[in-house]
């Protein structure tokens, strides 16, 4: 819509502020930002709770139950709870709080939700294989000039562009 | 000086308070930027909205320059900063899977959390998907383990991979970003507007 530029913050200013947030994360803790680590901690804790023997014998869960110190896990979970709070504050101030399914007029709400679920599954699994998502691997990685950061960023966006043609109807 | 917690300048009890505050700032900026809308995010792939590219590139460069200057001024010890290790093929394949998830689902994990916060039901479902995806990966891990641990190049830096100096790479990245900002603004002006 027309007042879109007023609706949202200037992209470059937002990018600068996001960069400062990322810099603050490094300055305080020595690590960048992350988003996929928190759901992983939740899954590991849940599986450990429901099926402790299974978790202990699994090569995946056992890595995190035994080795990883609790502080890192708690840090990521609290950070993501902060993201939820920050998003809520911004949305409330901008009058954007309302329950809705946002989708292109060319698809139904149901189609949108099916693809959202599918996309989430792929992103969740891909972020495990890629050792982090857009925040933890790509953005934070690029800030510290790690090769992994640039490779991950190029793979994510490159694939997006290649597949965009085939799923055009979902968006435009 | 920095990183303050790793160096013991700030006690570790503050760690969680800082985590929460940094998270709030992260979520607030993402929402303000428009990242709580999948249709804004998807715009980068169709040329009608390049918000993602602008925010992402500007943020990466701001933090990169900040770290380089902080190091230059002696405010931060870069050797204590975590550099994510490069497992080349898992990073590529993982990135490809994430890219598919992005274009189908319209979010990435961080943006879906902030979109769910303002009531987007599609983002909440995307989040459910993330949990499922992690669970599927975790249960299937014995099958992927060998690949997951393959092509480990260690915590290498991109300028070493390319064989150029750190300063030159940083400068080149800024130039590339500026060119991308100009070119994408030009493309966006010539792309049919999408209403959302």
């Amino acid at each position: 819509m027309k007042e879109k530029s007023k609706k949202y913050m200037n992209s470059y200013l937002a990018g600068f502020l996001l960069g400062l947030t990322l810099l603050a994360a490094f300055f305080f803790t020595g690590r960048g930002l992350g988003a996929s680590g928190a759901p992983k901690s939740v899954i590991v804790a849940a599986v450990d709770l429901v099926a402790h023997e299974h978790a202990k014998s699994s090569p995946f869960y056992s890595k995190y139950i035994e080795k990883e110190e609790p502080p890192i896990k708690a840090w990521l979970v609290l950070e993501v709870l902060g993201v939820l709070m920050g998003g809520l504050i911004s949305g409330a101030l901008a009058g954007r709080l309302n329950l809705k399914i946002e989708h292109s007029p060319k698809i139904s709400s149901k189609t949108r939700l099916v693809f959202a679920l599918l996309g989430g599954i792929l992103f969740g699994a891909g972020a495990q294989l890629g050792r982090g998502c857009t925040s933890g691997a790509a953005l934070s990685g690029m800030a510290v000039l790690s090769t992994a950061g640039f490779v991950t960023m190029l793979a994510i966006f490159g694939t997006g562009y290649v597949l965009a043609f085939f799923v055009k109807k979902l968006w435009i | 000086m920095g990183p303050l917690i790793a160096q013991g300048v700030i006690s570790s009890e503050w760690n969680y308070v800082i985590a929460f505050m940094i998270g709030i700032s992260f979520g607030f900026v993402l929402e303000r930027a428009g990242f709580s809308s999948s249709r804004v995010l998807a715009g980068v792939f169709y040329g009608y909205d390049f918000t993602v590219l602008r925010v992402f590139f500007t943020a990466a460069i701001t933090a990169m320059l900040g770290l380089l200057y902080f190091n230059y001024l002696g405010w931060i010890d870069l050797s204590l900063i975590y550099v994510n290790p490069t497992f080349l093929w898992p990073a590529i394949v993982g990135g490809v899977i994430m890219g598919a998830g992005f274009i189908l689902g319209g979010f990435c994990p961080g943006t879906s959390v902030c979109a769910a916060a303002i009531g987007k039901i599609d983002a909440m479902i995307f989040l459910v998907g993330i949990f499922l995806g992690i669970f599927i990966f975790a249960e299937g891990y014995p099958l992927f383990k060998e690949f997951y641990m393959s092509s480990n190049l260690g915590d290498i830096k991109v300028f070493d991979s390319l064989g150029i100096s750190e300063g030159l790479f940083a400068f080149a990245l800024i130039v590339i970003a500026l060119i991308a900002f100009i070119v994408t603004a030009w493309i966006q002006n010539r792309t049919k507007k999408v209403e959302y």
Side-chain angles (χ1 to χ4, degrees):
Chain A
M1 286 183 207
K2 257 188 246 143
E3 56 282 273
K4 208 184 122 260
S5 51
K6 277 183 217 138
K7 232 168 60 172
Y8 295 125
M9 186 188 271
N10 174 283
S11 304
Y12 299 110
L13 177 60
F16 178 67
L17 294 176
L18 180 58
L20 292 184
T21 306
L22 180 54
L23 185 60
F26 280 117
F27 186 65
F28 282 105
T29 71
R31 281 174 169 261
L33 298 167
S36 55
K40 182 179 76 183
S41 298
V42 173
I43 292 282
V44 171
V47 171
D48 189 32
L49 189 72
V50 176
H52 181 64
E53 288 310 310
H54 171 62
K56 244 172 63 183
S57 63
S58 150
F60 183 85
Y61 302 114
S62 60
K63 277 196 298 189
Y64 303 104
I65 301 170
E66 283 153 22
K67 284 185 204 147
E68 200 168 316
E69 352 61 295
I72 283 281
K73 282 192 259 183
W75 203 96
L76 290 169
V77 171
L78 277 162
E79 186 222 78
V80 169
L81 289 176
V83 173
L84 204 58
M85 180 64 85
L88 188 66
I89 295 170
S90 168
L93 292 175
R96 278 195 284 267
L97 296 185
N98 56 335
L99 275 177
K100 72 166 187 178
I101 302 168
E102 191 186 25
H103 61 86
S104 157
K106 288 182 191 157
I107 59 169
S108 66
S109 293
K110 198 180 151 205
T111 308
R112 169 72 188 116
L113 294 184
V114 169
F115 279 97
L117 184 69
L118 186 62
I121 292 173
L122 289 169
F123 225 120
Q128 291 313 305
L129 188 57
R131 295 175 166 75
C133 62
T134 336
S135 321
L139 183 60
S140 304
M142 281 170 71
V144 296
L145 298 176
S146 79
T147 302
F150 286 86
V151 168
T152 309
M153 184 271 293
L154 289 173
I156 293 175
F157 287 98
T159 307
Y161 277 104
V162 171
L163 296 181
F165 174 76
F166 301 100
V167 294
K168 214 171 160 181
K169 213 179 125 190
L170 288 180
W171 304 109
I172 52 175
Chain B
M1 268 185 68
L4 298 180
I5 290 169
Q7 304 259 59
V9 179
I10 292 182
S11 73
S12 55
E13 288 98 76
W14 281 95
N15 213 343
Y16 299 147
V17 179
I18 289 166
F20 193 57
M21 308 257 295
I22 284 176
I24 289 178
S25 173
F26 187 20
F28 187 89
V29 175
L30 287 180
E31 208 292 320
R32 271 294 115 138
F35 281 18
S36 53
S37 164
S38 59
R39 302 199 69 206
V40 169
L41 295 166
V44 73
F45 296 114
Y46 296 101
Y48 65 81
D49 192 328
F50 282 100
T51 303
V52 169
L53 179 131
R54 294 186 192 120
V55 173
F56 192 84
F57 239 143
T58 309
I61 285 174
T62 302
M64 171 194 79
L65 285 179
L67 286 174
L68 291 177
Y69 275 104
F70 276 24
N71 184 49
Y72 178 71
L73 297 169
W75 293 357
I76 199 165
D77 182 351
L78 272 192
S79 68
L80 294 174
I81 298 291
Y82 176 74
V83 175
N84 48 338
T86 303
F87 288 72
L88 189 61
W89 284 105
I92 293 172
V93 176
V96 167
I97 296 171
M98 286 189 265
F102 204 159
I103 194 71
L104 294 178
F107 290 111
C108 62
T111 54
S112 71
V113 171
C114 107
I118 67 159
K120 295 276 167 71
I121 297 165
D122 40 328
M124 298 171 195
I125 299 294
F126 186 91
L127 266 173
V128 171
I130 291 177
F131 282 99
L132 282 175
I134 295 170
F135 183 67
I136 293 168
F137 182 89
E139 291 300 322
Y141 184 67
L143 299 171
F144 321 127
K145 193 181 175 197
E146 199 180 327
F147 178 67
Y148 179 74
M149 299 307 294
S150 68
S151 51
N152 180 6
L153 308 179
D155 48 0
I156 51 165
K157 301 279 190 111
V158 65
F159 49 89
D160 286 329
S161 299
L162 297 172
I164 58 176
S165 76
E166 186 172 36
L168 180 62
F169 180 83
F171 180 73
L173 190 67
I174 294 168
V175 172
I176 291 169
L178 291 175
I179 294 171
F181 293 153
I182 295 166
V183 172
T184 53
W186 186 83
I187 293 172
Q188 193 171 327
N189 277 332
R190 274 152 193 79
T191 307
K192 194 168 148 250
K193 297 282 167 288
V194 171
E195 298 281 319
Y196 48 87

